[in-house]
Amino acid sequence: MATVDLGRRYEDVTSNQPRINVVTVAILLAAVGLGVVAFRATGNPAALGGSVLLGLALMPAPRIARQWERAVVLRFGRFVGLRGPGLFWVIPFVDRVSSWIDQRTITTSFAAEQTLTADTVPVNVDAVLFWLVHDAEKAALEVQDYSQAVSWAAQTALRDIIGRTTLTELLRGRERIEGELQHLIDQRSNPWGVTVSSVEMRDVVIPGALQDAMSREAQAAREKQARIILGQAELEIAHSFEQASRAYQNNPTALHLRAMNMLYEGLKEKGALMLVPSSAVESMGMGGLMGAAALRQSTLAGGTTSKPDTV
């Protein structure tokens, strides 16, 4: 199933009815005024009626095209040219304005629903097309409804590109696909006098089950990467310990000092408990260090519980 949203119908694109403007109103009023003057002068009501009929007949002659419009004029069904912008004149009952061509940039949204990618994944794709009419004559004469034709051309081009693109390429290579889609639509619409400015893909919707699978895959990939990083960290730590062991191997004094520093750091924390082998205390002379650390700990504990005397 596919949908095409034209957004809006362009005002007076194919309207054959004359537009009421200030010039047509002025012609009618002038004709009525002349008829009234002739009636008062002659007393013949036919003069008034003929003047009014003449004014009504001349009303379709002046036309006004807006700045962004071009009027397609046919004379007895044959193309005679484009008119506008501004005021122009046609021959009543001979010339006919078949259509008004809007030459501004037009935005058209289109979609491809439940379209299979190259790896047989159904997707829904929404896109926006920016286009304009660069040749009003071709747009009027070469295609029946150029706006509808451009919309259908954009939709079929989108389905064609999705059918030969994998899901991964569709999700990661949007810029390339948008450029290819613009080129393809431009090739189809250029003979109609239409050029494509740009194409933008708004959204790519995939089935819910596939979204869950892709989420689990991404989570597993992140967990794998985290474990790899942790293993690399452990390897770097092991290398550091290896280098440290080589430095301490021939320098037992440095090793004792490092051990004493680690023990002191552990004991000075309030409420810390550390088990130290008696052999380590004797070999490294830690008795005084442990006593100092215990005294510091008791001092800190007493400072937090006792209050100073007041006089």
Side-chain angles (χ1 to χ4, degrees):
M1 179 180 179
T3 61
V4 176
D5 181 15
L6 294 180
R8 64 181 180 88
R9 298 300 301 174
Y10 309 113
E11 181 184 3
D12 294 330
V13 168
T14 58
S15 175
N16 299 322
Q17 300 297 327
R19 297 177 176 179
I20 302 298
N21 54 67
V22 64
V23 182
T24 60
V25 174
I27 289 175
L28 180 60
L29 293 178
V32 172
L34 290 175
V36 171
V37 171
F39 174 71
R40 289 181 178 178
T42 62
N44 187 3
L48 177 60
S51 180
V52 172
L53 291 177
L54 179 61
L56 292 175
L58 293 178
M59 280 186 65
R63 301 292 184 92
I64 295 179
R66 301 182 182 97
Q67 180 64 37
W68 57 86
E69 289 179 330
R70 298 297 181 271
V72 180
V73 180
L74 303 179
R75 181 168 296 167
F76 294 117
R78 188 170 184 174
F79 175 76
V80 295
L82 299 173
R83 302 292 185 267
L87 177 66
F88 64 95
W89 299 80
V90 297
I91 303 174
F93 309 107
V94 175
D95 292 344
R96 172 172 170 262
V97 177
S98 64
S99 59
W100 301 83
I101 306 298
D102 191 336
Q103 291 195 304
R104 294 175 295 180
T105 299
I106 301 171
T107 304
T108 301
S109 61
F110 60 100
E113 297 181 1
Q114 297 297 321
T115 305
L116 292 178
T117 61
D119 48 355
T120 65
V121 177
V123 295
N124 299 337
V125 180
D126 294 329
V128 179
L129 177 68
F130 299 88
W131 58 279
L132 57 89
V133 178
H134 67 88
D135 192 332
E137 180 178 347
K138 288 184 178 180
L141 303 180
E142 299 296 331
V143 62
Q144 181 180 10
D145 187 348
Y146 64 90
S147 59
Q148 184 75 16
V150 169
S151 298
W152 285 115
Q155 178 202 340
T156 54
L158 178 60
R159 296 178 69 89
D160 183 23
I161 290 179
I162 292 175
R164 47 191 171 89
T165 305
T166 63
L167 180 62
T168 303
E169 294 174 346
L170 189 63
L171 296 176
R172 295 181 180 178
R174 286 197 177 189
E175 293 183 0
R176 180 187 62 82
I177 294 175
E178 289 172 354
E180 185 178 354
L181 185 59
Q182 177 182 350
H183 179 69
L184 185 58
I185 300 173
D186 212 19
Q187 281 185 333
R188 297 180 181 180
S189 60
N190 265 333
W192 307 330
V194 173
T195 183
V196 177
S197 302
S198 64
V199 181
E200 296 183 6
M201 296 173 59
R202 293 189 300 180
D203 193 14
V204 178
V205 181
I206 60 178
L210 183 58
Q211 291 183 17
D212 295 339
M214 294 176 65
S215 176
R216 290 195 299 270
E217 181 182 1
Q219 185 177 358
R222 291 191 183 95
E223 185 175 355
K224 175 184 176 182
Q225 187 65 23
R227 292 186 178 183
I228 291 175
I229 294 174
L230 181 61
Q232 292 176 350
E234 292 292 340
L235 183 61
E236 292 178 1
I237 293 172
H239 285 307
S240 299
F241 282 165
E242 182 182 2
Q243 294 176 1
S245 65
R246 291 175 183 175
Y248 291 137
Q249 184 176 6
N250 299 322
N251 195 346
T253 304
L255 178 61
H256 289 173
L257 291 174
R258 177 57 181 161
M260 293 172 65
N261 179 262
M262 293 174 61
L263 183 60
Y264 176 75
E265 292 294 334
L267 290 175
K268 75 177 183 179
E269 296 295 332
K270 183 178 179 180
L273 177 63
M274 181 173 293
L275 299 178
V276 181
S278 57
S279 59
V281 175
E282 294 175 358
S283 61
M284 291 185 290
M286 293 184 180
L289 177 63
M290 294 178 66
L295 179 62
R296 176 180 175 82
Q297 182 176 352
S298 62
T299 303
L300 291 174
T304 57
T305 56
S306 61
K307 299 182 179 178
D309 298 332
T310 57
V311 180

